[in-house]
Amino acid sequence: MLFIKNGIINTVTNGIIQGDILIENGKIIEIGADIVAPLDVEVIDVNGSLIFPGFIDAHTHLGLWEDGMGVEGADGNEETDPITPHLNPIDGINPMERSFEEARNGGITSACSTPGSANVMGGQCIAIKTVGRRIDKMIIKNPVASKIAFGENPKSCYGQEEKAPQTRMAIAAMLRETLKEAEQYLEDIRLHEEDDENEKPDYDMKMESLLPVLNREIPFKVHAHRADDMFTAIRIAKEFNLKLTLDHCTEGHLIVEDLVEEEYPVIVGPSLSERSKIELRNLTFDTAGVLSNAGMQVSLTTDHPVVPLHYLPVCAGIAVKHGMDSKKAIEAITINPAKTLGIDNRVGSIEVGKDADIVIWDNNPLEIQSNVMYTIIDGKVVYRKQG
């Protein structure tokens, strides 16, 4: 058991409480003032320090592009086929990569790791904890989404090889074609289940991986910077009755009324980066605040390794500087990404019954000079500030 006492607890979902947290078997079992803890419990007296849930990034490539390496550590894009929905990061992530340690030392306890955006369909996405040696034991949920990409990335990857897609039209057509095939595959399975005289389709790994999308169990995670690409994604989602998250959403502030009307969750960023390509010409830190102030569910992303994951709180702080409400900025790196990923039953806030993923700060985490004093994941101290 672990007992954290004398803290100012930002639960995120139930306000701020001055008091204690009792943890057992990796779960939060009690929160409140003057908790009577068992005599043999490990005690951390934080002396009035700030306690937050562990921060979460809903869109990263953590462990798929290893720090300080070239092709030897690049496992995020399978650039041999633009349609690879059956790939899964569990088979590419290296949890020994040092970015995991930097992340948890910076207060990041969970992340969604996703394939890159070279392919129209890049593969499945998984939610993981940032501590562990074996990825199988770090998973929160697999899959949480299926990655698709619009715009410059798939065009530049395949267009230069005189292969499809060379245009945005081809990207959309390839998505529709594959989804139609998946719909037929699903229908054939259903017909066989209703009457085994109907032939069961031959197993198709690509089609199988899309069944959770067609059944609305998980969303498409949409790589889209430009407004027109977001609208194309929405158009296709409506045609096939699919769930979406709009990731990057770089021009979201230009189409805020439309996005509010559509009500899809948005994941904004990386904003702390250069305008490295044409579709980033409208990149601004204003976007998150504009969308959040309009009532949207906004999450923030570093798109690690584009921006190192441990700078997620810095990105949230800069978003506040550019008009985002500070409470909403905290939600954008805690409960909102948890909801967007469908893992809010376990992480994203400090509540009884949830995973004990807790970070103790010496000051407001949105201030750049603030430090993590303790990071706790699944009830275990995985980082303690020295000195």
Side-chain angles (χ1 to χ4, degrees), residues 56 102 138 161 209 234 324 328 331 376:
I56 305 167
E102 291 177 339
M138 299 162 64
E161 298 179 11
S209 71
I234 291 169
M324 193 175 196
K328 294 296 183 182
E331 291 176 359
I376 297 162

Side-chain angles (χ1 to χ4, degrees), residues 245-302:
T245 69
L246 296 173
D247 294 39
H248 305 310
C249 199
T250 303
E251 293 188 351
H253 58 286
L254 302 179
I255 53 171
V256 59
E257 294 86 359
D258 296 280
L259 295 181
V260 169
E261 178 184 339
E262 298 295 347
E263 297 185 324
Y264 295 105
V266 296
I267 302 171
V268 177
S271 302
L272 190 63
S273 61
E274 63 175 333
R275 297 179 180 89
S276 57
K277 50 189 176 182
I278 296 296
E279 63 187 13
L280 297 181
R281 63 190 180 279
N282 288 311
L283 177 69
T284 172
F285 259 106
D286 296 344
T287 307
V290 170
L291 297 176
S292 177
N293 294 338
M296 296 196 69
Q297 180 179 301
V298 177
S299 302
L300 297 176
T301 179
T302 59

Side-chain angles (χ1 to χ4, degrees), residues 166-177:
Q166 296 188 24
T167 64
R168 283 178 164 83
M169 294 183 293
I171 291 170
M174 294 174 85
L175 280 169
R176 287 188 175 96
E177 181 179 38

Side-chain angles (χ1 to χ4, degrees), residues 312-328:
L312 182 61
V314 174
C315 295
I318 299 175
V320 171
K321 181 179 179 179
H322 285 257
M324 193 175 196
D325 176 79
S326 58
K327 182 175 182 292
K328 294 296 183 182

Side-chain angles (χ1 to χ4, degrees), residues 180-248:
K180 282 293 184 183
E181 291 174 5
E183 280 188 332
Q184 186 60 58
Y185 183 80
L186 178 58
E187 179 62 18
D188 290 344
I189 290 173
R190 288 173 175 166
L191 289 173
H192 174 73
E193 290 173 347
E194 291 171 2
D195 185 349
D196 58 13
E197 290 188 5
N198 293 315
E199 186 176 354
K200 184 178 181 180
D202 294 336
Y203 177 82
D204 187 318
M205 191 174 184
K206 288 186 177 182
M207 298 299 104
E208 286 285 335
S209 71
L210 289 171
L211 298 186
V213 177
L214 293 178
N215 290 327
R216 294 180 59 85
E217 297 166 10
I218 61 173
F220 267 145
K221 178 176 273 294
V222 177
H223 166 104
H225 291 282
R226 272 181 23 177
D228 58 333
D229 288 329
M230 286 185 264
F231 289 145
T232 299
I234 291 169
R235 188 180 311 116
I236 293 172
K238 288 182 174 180
E239 290 174 20
F240 291 89
N241 189 30
L242 308 177
K243 297 168 69 174
L244 288 185
T245 69
L246 296 173
D247 294 39
H248 305 310

